[in-house]
Every structure is written in structure tokens, then in C-alpha cells.
Amino acid sequence: MSDIIDADGIDSEKAQSLKTVGWISYFLHLLVALAAVLPGAQASPVVLIVALIVDLVKKGEAEGTWQASHFAWRIRTVIWAAVLYLVTAPLWLVFFVPGWIAWCLISIWFLYRIVKGMVRMNASRPMPS
């Protein structure tokens, strides 16, 4: 049994506000993801931390809506990416090429998750759990 209610069932102003926050967060995540994939591009980790804090703060407001799955999706994506980057960081100290390959794969995975979330949010669809 699903606890997700339709956004029409809550205040439409609140629903629009959550969607706006979601788009801002996705945009910040996208900036970081693109900078991680494009050679020479740099995005401050502060941008990602700001996006994560926004998601953590606003997640409670989205409970019971389809948008809650997007907040959880972004939070999980950042946490998993951070763990994967930390676990593979020693590869840079030992061998340059394996570290570079691992971080490229993680960055591509991160970009994929952000784009997938943006596409589903644009369609007003929840993320899979």
C-alpha cells in the first residue's frame, strides 16, 4: 500500500513551492555533475553541499507527496557518490589511471542519476524506491 498522495490533494501553492525547490536543487546538482564529467570544468564542493542541505531541510515538507521520492533520490545520490569517491581515492595515490577511470565512472553515474531525476520530475512522476 502506497503512502504517496497526489500533489493535487495538498495546497497547490505548497506543491509548486516544492517543485521549485526541487528544480533549484536538481540544477545545482547538475552543475556539479557536469563539472565532474567535463575536462577542465570546476564546480565548488560548496555548491553540492548547499544542494544537499536544501534537500535535507525541505525533505520533511514533501512527505506524503510524489516529490518526497525526488528529495530522497538526490540525497541518496550524493551520499553514494561521496562514499564511492572516498573509497576510490587511494587509487589516485597508488596508480593514476585506475583512480582516473574510477572517478570518471562515478561522475558519469552521478550525472545519469541527476538527469534521470530531472526527466521524471518534469513528467511529475516519483522516483523508483
Side-chain angles (χ1 to χ4, degrees):
M1 185 144 153
S2 178
D3 291 339
I4 296 176
I5 59 173
D6 188 18
D8 294 336
I10 62 171
D11 182 19
S12 65
E13 215 174 280
K14 180 180 174 185
Q16 187 57 42
S17 173
L18 286 171
K19 200 166 190 178
T20 300
V21 169
W23 279 117
I24 291 168
S25 179
Y26 270 125
F27 178 71
L28 294 174
H29 283 87
L30 184 64
L31 286 175
V32 174
L34 286 173
V37 173
L38 298 174
Q42 292 293 319
S44 172
V46 174
V47 174
L48 188 59
I49 292 168
V50 166
L52 180 61
I53 290 171
V54 166
D55 286 336
L56 290 169
V57 168
K58 292 292 190 175
K59 181 182 178 187
E61 292 180 28
E63 273 190 40
T65 69
W66 63 269
Q67 294 177 26
S69 65
H70 285 273
F71 284 93
W73 178 264
R74 290 187 302 266
I75 292 167
R76 280 194 316 266
T77 299
V78 170
I79 291 171
W80 273 108
V83 168
L84 292 171
Y85 281 130
L86 287 173
V87 167
T88 59
L91 290 175
W92 285 97
L93 300 174
V94 179
F95 303 105
F96 175 77
V97 174
W100 181 80
I101 291 171
W103 281 33
C104 282
L105 291 174
I106 296 165
S107 298
I108 291 168
W109 171 82
F110 184 75
L111 178 62
Y112 165 77
R113 293 219 5 143
I114 297 306
V115 170
K116 180 178 180 178
M118 292 176 87
V119 167
R120 290 185 69 100
M121 184 162 204
N122 191 48
S124 297
R125 294 177 54 206
M127 296 306 298
S129 51

